[in-house]
Amino acid sequence: MSLARRLLFLPGRWLAPLMLAVFALLAVGVSYLIQSSELDASVQEQETRRLRERLSVEQSRLSLQSDNARTQLVRRLVGGMGLYVGMRSVYLVGRDGAVQASLTRSDIGRDISLVLGAWPDLARAMSTREHSQAPMGIDVWRVDGADWLLGSAPLTDGRRLLAVMDLSYPLAQRQAAINSQALRDGLLLLALVAGLAGVMHLVWFRRANRLMNTLARMGEGQLDARTGLVGGDELARIAAEADRMALRLQSQQAQIRQLADLVDRSPVVVVEWRNAPGWPVTYVSRGVSQWGYRPQDLMNGVIRYADLIHADDVNRINAEVEHYFRHGPDDYRQEYRLRNANGEWVWVEDRTTLRRDEHGEVVGISGILLDVTAQKMAELAQREQAEMLRLFYELPFIGMAISAPDTRRWLQVNDRLCEILGYSRDQLLTMTWSEMTPQPDLDQNLLLLEQVKAGMRDGYQMTKRFLRRDGHVVYTEIEVRAVRKPDGTLHRLFATVQDVTERRLANEALREQKDMLEQAEVMAGLGSWSHDTRSQDTWWSTQMYRNIGRDLAMGPPQGLAGCLACVHPDDRRSLLTTMRAIDRSGQSDTLTLRRHPDLGPARWFRARLEHHPLPGGGWCWRGTLLDITALQEAKSELERSNAELEVRVKERTQQLSLANRELEAFTYTVSHDLKAPLRGIDGYSQLLAEEYAPQLDETGQAYVARVRHGVQQMGALIADLLDYSRMERRTMDLQPLELIPLIRRVLDENSADIERTGASVSVCVSPMVLRLDREGLAVALRNLVSNALKFTKPGQVPIIDIGSTETESGHVLWVRDQGVGFDMKYHDRIFGIFQRLQRSEDYAGTGVGLALVAKAVQRMGGRVWAESQPGQGATFYMEFSR
Amino acid sequence: MSTSLPPILLVEDNPMDLDLTLRAFNKRRFINAIEVARDGEEALAYIARWDAGEPVPAVILLDINMPKVNGLEVLDRLKHHPVYRRIPVVVLTSSREDRDLAAAYDLGVNSYIEKPVSFNKFMEVADQIELYWCVTNQRGLT
């Protein structure tokens, strides 16, 4: 920076005095220069004038002294001129050019030209002057090139007065005067400038400085700073304006602060976000502390706002915000949940304003958050309550309705009411309740309604009937409440309707039951009673009166003593003993007693007594009294006949065991004595056939064969019969039995027949262990298998399946064949003994086999049956319970 | 050779059965001698004869239903005899009563065979008895 610029930018308080000083010195300098330049001329002019004046004076003086007589005087006069300052030489030159008087004595008399010859300049000036000018007047001129003035004044007589005056002295004198003047002026001006600077500093710069400092403080935010300048100058006015500005700013700031304070104290939380990665929070009002956060934590990024939003809301909010970013509007509301510092969730309503730049890009978001948890909760609670009310209204056990009092039309009904009345909701809403109320209930109901309308009551309750849609009558209990308008007139009727048909039916049933019970009491002759020892209250059932023979109108007897008086004196002791025993043990007991003989003919009772403690102390005795007079009479009769019966039973038992023994002996005999001759017949007939074949012709041999066949038939019959009888008599030995090995054994026993017939037998039995009699089951299976092998269709190979199934009731074992089968109408017959459905020449057999199966299964506690159709094979089932 | 084989003792009261039994054995042409006791008493009398040195039978075929001393009593006596209880006893009877069966086995009978009605079957039975008790079966020390 150049010096000039540096100077220019000097503070005014320096620049102004400096400039003033410079200007003052400059002025002094100029003035000095001007004076100096005019010095020579002015001195010449002044001295010229003075010289002329002197010469003029001297001219007149000297002219008077024109005669030579007064030479001395002239000389003095001329000499007196030497007293003048600067007068160098004075010559009085005579006409002849000789010097008549001079300051210098030596020159007197000398030619002037000679005298002046000592100063060539002077001489030259003289001569030029004399030649150019008329010597009439006083003439003064400057000698060129010297500081001399030459004056010439003509005198009378041709004389001339010449005066040479030296200018050096006045010149020097004037120079000195100018110099001192300039110095004085300079100093004075400097002093003035200094004074002025002082004054300016005092008056202007100090104030300016103060103004500046104050403005600086204001700039720094100290709006309470004031300049404090007074006066009418510019500074004071600027200061006043600054003060005014500061005051206004201060009040505005106070207002802002108040607003901020208001914001901070309000439940509202103001948050501002800047559009930068992560959306940093730039401002949070102090209200955020209501959620336990510090504003600076949010602003410093210690806590990320986005992290506080409920995970369920984040996506929705982001989607909405994106939408608003793109399509506006810039002011919108959102509701979401925030986690507070305690980890609880609060609902906030976020009123958001988007800030956009000139290109429409969002630069920031301002949000005003309001904690609406309470409202939200209240809203939820209200919704819940409404839902509960709705649910309550729709509860399936009570009908509810709202109706208009004038039209009696249903305005609102719930499902239960529809159900009770049998109409759909839509139908009900087009109907009135009066049209479905039968008489006389309707009149009664309308009367109550009129009373409500008249304001005599606020509601009513009644039991009434409704006609259902299906024509049935439904009994209900209704409760009606009036809802009135502010002016007291009836607005709506709220009604609950309860279907009491069932209760009514139940009550009727109860009454009927009570009647029946009473009838039963009468029929049974069973009276019941109770007695409260505390209140001494006694209650007797109706039958009690009949039993004892007491008039019902008399009421029960007084106290226990009264009751005891009804008992036969001989039985009182046992009654009291029993009661004492009950008192001790607390258990009920029975005894037989009679009524008092005075009350009528002897009557026997079976009394049952018990007692219960009463809540407040004391006892409640309860009991029944059963009339057993007939029983008692019958008992003695029975005892008699029992004795007879016993004798008879003994006799019969003896007879029976005898018969049993005989039967056993019979079967034993059959087994032995009947079989022995048979064996003989068979043996000998065979011997006959073998050893006497030559003696017998063909017919004889055929006879022998028939004999033998008959014998075998009979042997088989006897054997089967014995088996059957044995099965009937033998004791069953039930024990765990593995089924499959048993079936194997039975099949092995029949293997000869199976091979002979070429039968195919398949066994599909799940391994099981049954608790059965081994022999019994073997007999049953054996007979079933041999049956299946036997009853095949002519020319067919028997196919037998043995299988098992599990049923709910037990195990079922079955044997199926593809044989001739039978008609199901003979189902029951086939299990009877000696029952045959086939001719014996077609299928040999004794007719005992299935009977034996049935007997064996029955003895083992099982069940046997068959399914078949003629020609379709048969299946025989045996079922044993688990 | 025939003398060295132990005999079979047949206890049978019914003459027809006895005859048929003997015939059945004969038919099978067995070589053991067959001794016969006609009732229980006779059967028990054999004990003394065995003591006297007569050959002890390979097997005793015993009927149950006999007059005087019945088969079960004979069995009881035999099976309680310190020496002769080792003789195998086969009950050969027409009874199939559980009572008889149980009693016989309770007394220690070695086998219980019901007499078949058919003579052919009877012969098979005789065959099997001889084969089993006289040939296959190893005798106890008597």
Side-chain angles (χ1 to χ4, degrees):
Chain A
M1 196 189 283
S2 69
L3 183 68
R5 276 179 78 91
R6 197 173 292 174
L7 278 172
L8 266 178
F9 287 112
L10 271 177
R13 65 179 181 277
W14 294 115
L15 188 62
L18 195 66
M19 292 302 275
L20 275 176
V22 169
F23 288 144
L25 289 178
L26 213 59
V28 170
V30 168
S31 156
Y32 175 74
L33 283 179
I34 290 170
Q35 280 190 359
S36 290
S37 70
E38 287 172 354
L39 177 72
D40 198 57
S42 81
V43 168
Q44 188 181 335
E45 190 190 316
Q46 189 188 340
E47 291 303 316
T48 305
R49 203 173 57 237
R50 265 185 12 140
L51 189 57
R52 203 178 282 271
E53 284 169 8
R54 184 50 43 187
L55 282 177
S56 167
V57 171
E58 292 303 323
Q59 186 184 32
S60 43
R61 266 187 209 172
L62 283 172
S63 293
L64 295 171
Q65 310 297 325
S66 46
D67 56 345
N68 286 340
R70 296 180 184 169
T71 313
Q72 281 302 321
L73 187 56
V74 171
R75 282 189 189 171
R76 261 194 325 251
L77 282 174
V78 171
M81 278 181 71
L83 292 173
Y84 281 96
V85 177
M87 200 61 79
R88 190 169 177 122
S89 308
V90 184
Y91 302 102
L92 191 57
V93 179
R95 209 178 273 183
D96 55 355
V99 177
Q100 295 173 346
S102 172
L103 295 180
T104 314
R105 220 170 233 274
S106 55
D107 288 341
I108 300 170
R110 294 180 67 186
D111 193 84
I112 195 70
S113 46
L114 286 172
V115 170
L116 288 179
W119 303 294
D121 292 344
L122 200 55
R124 199 168 42 242
M126 213 49 200
S127 61
T128 33
R129 204 66 193 180
E130 276 175 1
H131 289 292
S132 61
Q133 280 186 324
M136 289 312 293
I138 301 167
D139 192 16
V140 176
W141 72 95
R142 177 83 178 260
V143 177
D144 291 339
D147 287 339
W148 286 350
L149 270 182
L150 192 64
S152 146
L155 297 176
T156 51
D157 316 339
R159 296 175 291 167
R160 244 179 350 167
L161 188 62
L162 283 176
V164 177
M165 198 168 199
D166 195 349
L167 280 179
S168 320
Y169 180 69
L171 270 176
Q173 203 179 17
R174 281 288 292 273
Q175 188 69 50
I178 287 170
N179 283 355
S180 72
Q181 182 69 37
L183 189 65
R184 254 193 340 266
D185 286 354
L187 286 174
L188 186 67
L189 274 173
L190 279 177
L192 277 173
V193 164
L196 188 64
V199 169
M200 276 177 80
H201 180 74
L202 277 174
V203 172
W204 185 268
F205 296 122
R206 224 176 58 186
R207 284 153 62 90
N209 208 25
R210 190 166 162 190
L211 178 59
M212 201 173 67
N213 286 340
T214 311
L215 283 174
R217 278 167 62 200
M218 284 176 183
E220 281 163 10
Q222 296 180 25
L223 292 179
D224 54 344
R226 290 290 176 274
T227 54
L229 296 185
V230 287
D233 61 339
E234 295 85 346
L235 273 180
R237 281 169 62 189
I238 289 171
E241 286 302 320
D243 283 353
R244 231 154 54 86
M245 186 184 76
L247 198 64
R248 217 168 47 236
L249 281 177
Q250 204 175 6
S251 75
Q252 275 170 359
Q253 198 184 38
Q255 216 170 347
I256 288 171
R257 197 169 297 150
Q258 202 176 356
L259 280 174
D261 197 41
L262 214 59
V263 166
D264 284 343
R265 276 188 288 120
S266 74
V268 161
V269 179
V270 178
V271 184
E272 298 214 317
W273 292 272
R274 187 160 50 85
N275 187 359
W279 285 92
V281 172
T282 52
Y283 171 75
V284 186
S285 69
R286 273 208 303 275
V288 79
S289 61
Q290 66 182 290
W291 299 321
Y293 299 116
R294 296 190 305 170
Q296 56 265 41
D297 287 346
L298 279 160
M299 285 190 274
N300 298 342
V302 176
I303 299 168
R304 280 190 60 216
Y305 186 81
D307 294 343
L308 304 181
I309 299 173
H310 198 286
D312 293 351
D313 299 335
V314 163
N315 290 338
R316 173 174 60 84
I317 287 173
N318 286 344
E320 285 175 9
V321 168
E322 204 162 316
H323 175 83
Y324 290 128
F325 273 28
R326 288 207 184 134
H327 311 291
D330 287 354
D331 292 306
Y332 55 87
R333 289 182 183 200
Q334 288 177 310
E335 270 191 0
Y336 48 86
R337 281 162 288 178
L338 277 185
R339 195 184 60 235
N340 69 12
N342 295 336
E344 292 155 356
W345 294 102
V346 294
W347 278 95
V348 297
E349 185 189 292
D350 186 347
R351 299 179 191 191
T352 309
T353 306
L354 301 181
R355 296 195 304 277
R356 295 183 191 269
D357 60 9
E358 60 272 21
H359 308 297
E361 290 298 317
V362 174
V363 293
I365 303 177
S366 306
I368 299 174
L369 309 181
L370 187 61
D371 189 333
V372 293
T373 310
Q375 289 100 299
K376 197 79 186 173
M377 291 298 141
E379 191 183 315
L380 286 175
Q382 200 177 9
R383 207 178 299 160
E384 196 181 354
Q385 202 177 7
E387 179 62 16
M388 297 266 279
L389 268 178
R390 196 188 63 73
L391 285 176
F392 181 71
Y393 182 67
E394 289 303 337
L395 275 180
F397 39 78
I398 192 152
M400 293 193 205
I402 301 173
S403 62
D406 295 326
T407 60
R408 298 167 205 162
R409 203 171 277 283
W410 304 109
L411 299 174
Q412 214 171 329
V413 293
N414 73 350
D415 287 348
R416 175 60 185 155
L417 188 66
C418 299
E419 202 182 306
I420 291 172
L421 297 178
Y423 288 95
S424 74
R425 187 187 295 265
D426 293 341
Q427 286 168 334
L428 270 186
L429 293 181
T430 63
M431 300 174 79
T432 63
W433 52 260
S434 50
E435 73 187 80
M436 51 180 75
T437 308
Q439 288 292 8
D441 299 9
L442 181 58
D443 286 344
Q444 196 188 340
N445 197 349
L446 290 176
L447 183 69
L448 287 165
L449 180 60
E450 285 310 314
Q451 289 175 352
V452 170
K453 273 186 186 171
M456 292 157 67
R457 51 178 14 176
D458 248 358
Y460 56 88
Q461 240 178 322
M462 69 178 288
T463 306
K464 67 177 272 188
R465 290 168 299 168
F466 279 108
L467 270 173
R468 278 173 60 90
R469 191 187 182 196
D470 55 16
H472 285 117
V473 169
V474 59
Y475 288 87
T476 61
E477 271 177 11
I478 64 167
E479 177 147 10
V480 180
R481 278 277 163 275
V483 178
R484 296 184 190 278
K485 290 178 192 162
D487 61 2
T489 54
L490 202 51
H491 179 48
R492 292 278 182 265
L493 291 173
F494 281 24
T496 61
V497 181
Q498 210 159 1
D499 185 350
V500 295
T501 311
E502 268 179 41
R503 202 201 299 169
R504 209 183 155 84
L505 290 175
N507 280 343
E508 274 170 19
L510 202 66
R511 203 176 312 131
E512 207 168 304
Q513 259 180 339
K514 204 180 154 198
D515 290 347
M516 279 170 73
L517 200 67
E518 205 158 308
Q519 270 180 324
E521 271 202 342
V522 172
M523 284 161 78
L526 181 73
S528 51
W529 58 273
S530 69
H531 176 77
D532 186 327
T533 60
R534 207 171 38 167
S535 62
Q536 291 292 314
D537 284 342
T538 308
W539 170 83
W540 278 20
S541 77
T542 325
Q543 183 58 27
M544 194 71 188
Y545 291 93
R546 291 198 199 97
N547 276 357
I548 296 292
R550 187 183 170 92
D551 191 357
L552 189 64
M554 285 169 69
Q558 287 293 307
L560 271 182
C563 292
L564 275 174
C566 301
V567 179
H568 196 286
D570 296 351
D571 295 337
R572 279 184 201 158
R573 181 178 293 275
S574 66
L575 175 60
L576 286 171
T577 313
T578 307
M579 284 176 82
R580 268 186 224 110
I582 291 170
D583 247 342
R584 277 197 302 277
S585 67
Q587 286 174 341
S588 62
D589 206 351
T590 54
L591 79 159
T592 307
L593 48 80
R594 288 161 292 171
R595 69 173 171 184
H596 200 280
D598 293 352
L599 292 166
R603 217 179 256 186
W604 287 87
F605 300 105
R606 187 79 186 148
R608 187 181 175 85
L609 292 107
E610 58 184 31
H611 79 339
H612 303 280
L614 288 169
W619 298 91
C620 177
W621 283 95
R622 268 183 238 155
T624 55
L625 206 62
L626 182 64
D627 187 345
I628 55 164
T629 312
L631 201 68
Q632 200 70 16
E633 282 163 3
K635 198 172 147 193
S636 42
E637 181 66 25
L638 194 67
E639 273 164 8
R640 216 172 28 251
S641 59
N642 258 359
E644 283 173 24
L645 202 63
E646 213 160 300
V647 174
R648 235 183 295 165
V649 165
K650 253 180 209 163
E651 282 170 13
R652 288 274 163 85
T653 313
Q654 270 177 345
Q655 283 168 3
L656 202 62
S657 60
L658 199 67
N660 248 355
R661 274 202 299 278
E662 274 170 7
L663 186 65
E664 269 183 49
F666 169 74
T667 51
Y668 199 78
T669 310
V670 164
S671 70
H672 258 90
D673 300 354
L674 228 54
K675 274 159 86 184
L678 265 184
R679 272 199 305 277
I681 297 167
D682 187 66
Y684 289 113
S685 57
Q686 181 161 358
L687 289 173
L688 185 68
E690 281 175 7
E691 292 172 15
Y692 294 88
Q695 282 96 321
L696 285 174
D697 62 1
E698 237 172 69
T699 318
Q701 284 181 10
Y703 289 164
V704 172
R706 287 204 179 168
V707 168
R708 297 202 61 215
H709 181 72
V711 168
Q712 272 157 22
Q713 277 275 91
M714 188 152 175
L717 196 58
I718 290 169
D720 282 354
L721 204 56
L722 278 173
D723 280 344
Y724 186 82
S725 119
R726 250 161 37 88
M727 193 52 73
E728 202 164 33
R729 280 179 295 116
R730 74 189 294 266
T731 46
M732 288 283 135
D733 179 19
L734 299 179
Q735 53 184 316
L737 203 61
E738 276 196 62
L739 202 56
I740 292 174
L742 187 77
I743 292 171
R744 277 275 140 66
R745 209 189 80 198
V746 170
L747 290 177
D748 283 346
E749 285 169 12
N750 283 289
S751 60
D753 280 342
I754 291 168
E755 270 171 41
R756 184 172 51 77
T757 55
S760 89
V761 181
S762 69
V763 179
C764 183
V765 175
S766 44
M768 60 172 91
V769 175
L770 300 177
R771 209 175 152 73
L772 292 175
D773 180 69
R774 176 179 293 276
E775 178 67 19
L777 187 59
V779 164
L781 274 172
R782 194 180 300 135
N783 277 285
L784 287 178
V785 169
S786 81
N787 249 24
L789 284 169
K790 190 159 64 180
F791 292 104
T792 48
K793 289 182 214 160
Q796 274 197 357
V797 170
I799 300 168
I800 303 170
D801 294 307
I802 301 175
S804 70
T805 31
E806 299 281 320
T807 65
E808 275 181 28
S809 50
H811 309 278
V812 174
L813 200 61
W814 45 261
V815 179
R816 177 175 297 142
D817 62 53
Q818 309 290 329
V820 292
F822 61 89
D823 193 326
M824 281 299 275
K825 68 182 174 192
Y826 300 121
H827 179 273
D828 292 336
R829 266 175 69 181
I830 58 170
F831 291 106
I833 194 160
F834 299 132
Q835 296 292 335
R836 293 177 57 90
L837 297 183
Q838 306 289 341
R839 288 191 308 241
S840 64
E841 48 264 52
D842 294 339
Y843 296 99
T846 57
V848 177
L850 283 177
L852 193 55
V853 172
K855 178 58 69 183
V857 172
Q858 175 214 324
R859 294 258 5 238
M860 287 187 287
R863 188 166 76 90
V864 65
W865 72 97
E867 283 172 6
S868 178
Q869 276 180 1
Q872 301 290 314
T875 310
F876 289 86
Y877 298 92
M878 295 183 284
E879 187 188 54
F880 302 103
S881 56
R882 290 170 203 278
Chain B
M1 182 168 169
S2 65
T3 48
S4 65
L5 284 175
I8 295 169
L9 177 60
L10 178 63
V11 185
E12 175 63 70
D13 66 320
N14 187 325
M16 200 157 62
D17 272 354
L18 177 65
D19 182 50
L20 284 171
T21 311
L22 290 174
R23 278 174 189 276
F25 277 111
N26 272 339
K27 282 253 177 194
R28 309 313 298 178
R29 301 185 197 291
F30 274 106
I31 42 179
N32 299 61
I34 297 177
E35 289 169 359
V36 175
R38 297 299 306 273
D39 56 36
E41 259 183 13
E42 271 186 40
L44 291 174
Y46 266 90
I47 293 173
R49 288 164 65 177
W50 295 332
D51 287 338
E54 284 198 19
V56 174
V59 62
I60 300 172
L61 301 181
L62 184 64
D63 192 13
I64 290 181
N65 224 352
M66 289 182 296
K68 297 184 216 168
V69 180
N70 76 15
L72 292 174
E73 286 177 63
V74 175
L75 183 64
D76 187 27
R77 289 281 295 279
L78 276 173
K79 286 299 173 185
H80 280 91
H81 193 277
V83 179
Y84 304 122
R85 66 179 179 202
R86 296 187 193 115
I87 303 170
V89 179
V90 174
V91 164
L92 192 62
T93 176
S94 46
S95 167
R96 263 193 64 192
E97 286 303 302
D98 290 346
R99 198 177 53 188
D100 292 339
L101 251 167
Y105 277 109
D106 284 350
L107 291 170
V109 79
N110 297 72
S111 190
Y112 190 105
I113 296 171
E114 188 195 354
K115 288 178 192 163
V117 170
S118 161
F119 185 66
N120 281 335
K121 284 218 179 104
F122 198 92
M123 285 195 292
E124 280 172 31
V125 168
D127 201 1
Q128 281 165 8
I129 289 171
E130 179 123 28
L131 184 68
Y132 182 76
W133 292 108
C134 305
V135 180
T136 318
N137 185 43
Q138 291 298 311
R139 298 186 56 201
L141 299 169
T142 42

